[in-house]
Amino acid sequence: MKLYYAVLETKLGRMLATRTEKGLNNLLFHQPTWGKFFEELEERKDLELIKAEGKFATLRKQLKEYFTGKKVKFTDKLDLSSGSPFEQKVWRKMMQIPYGKTVSYKKLAQMAGEPEKARAVGNACAKNPLTIIVPCHRVIKSDGGLGGYAGGLERKKRLLNLESGKEK
């Protein structure tokens, strides 16, 4: 299997994007673990890791627009196969949260048809491989607190401010 990748520069830092033939499967803010991630990928005999900036041109353009505060409809096909069926269901429901709006983990669990699984929804958010496109930053605690965010709480706050027009 071929895995294409590129590192994209954004207003909030570098992001790693990867895609399979099925579609975009990772969009993650820079983490200290990237080196280990690439080492593990390079060890896999069933995987060919290919740097392919051109395969991410549309995504790069759409992210640039997003980070200027524009509401963007991301058009890449997505490959969500890294998640369990429950996680995939939660991620799809997350994509229905309107730009500039937030919902609680509890509300997202209800949207996913699993009202008793708010904690499991939080775990699905933490495993979200496609930040911004699958907008886990729009999911907050019932009391209005931010909750968690794999990209860091400061980024979550800035993404919410960007979408609400408080940050340009």
Side-chain angles (χ1 to χ4, degrees):
M1 178 174 84
K2 293 180 180 180
L3 183 67
Y4 303 96
Y5 78 93
V7 175
L8 311 174
E9 298 292 336
T10 75
K11 179 178 179 174
L12 295 185
R14 295 169 54 185
M15 297 186 83
L16 173 65
T18 66
R19 69 178 333 114
T20 65
E21 296 298 337
K22 293 179 187 176
L24 191 66
N25 68 337
N26 280 293
L27 181 62
L28 305 167
F29 281 107
H30 182 265
Q31 298 292 325
T33 56
W34 276 11
K36 184 171 172 49
F37 173 77
F38 279 109
E39 284 175 21
E40 289 173 1
L41 289 177
E42 288 171 351
E43 289 175 10
R44 289 186 49 186
K45 303 293 183 219
D46 63 329
L47 189 67
E48 183 181 356
L49 188 60
I50 303 166
K51 187 171 185 176
E53 299 288 334
K55 288 192 175 281
F56 300 92
T58 299
L59 176 61
R60 183 177 276 110
K61 180 178 179 252
Q62 290 171 339
L63 283 171
K64 185 175 182 179
E65 289 176 14
Y66 173 85
F67 281 109
T68 65
K70 293 181 183 169
K71 182 179 175 182
V72 174
K73 178 161 175 49
F74 292 96
T75 56
D76 276 289
K77 269 183 63 179
L78 304 181
D79 177 0
L80 300 176
S81 63
S82 67
S84 70
F86 174 77
E87 290 165 344
Q88 290 179 41
K89 179 168 54 169
V90 170
W91 297 338
R92 285 188 179 90
K93 291 297 178 184
M94 252 188 266
M95 290 189 286
Q96 295 174 7
I97 303 169
Y99 179 91
K101 303 290 183 192
T102 59
V103 301
S104 68
Y105 294 98
K106 182 178 180 179
K107 174 67 175 170
L108 184 55
Q110 292 168 348
M111 290 168 59
E114 305 277 358
E116 71 290 347
K117 292 191 175 179
R119 190 174 301 268
V121 162
N123 289 334
C125 289
K127 293 179 181 177
N128 172 20
L130 291 160
T131 194
I132 298 174
I133 295 171
V134 176
C136 55
H137 62 279
R138 296 180 191 155
V139 184
I140 61 172
K141 293 168 54 175
S142 293
D143 67 4
L146 290 180
Y149 187 64
L153 287 181
E154 185 57 32
R155 274 198 188 110
K156 183 172 185 171
K157 182 191 279 184
R158 289 188 67 192
L159 290 168
L160 292 172
N161 285 341
L162 177 77
E163 291 185 6
S164 68
K166 295 177 185 170
E167 180 173 326
K168 292 286 178 188

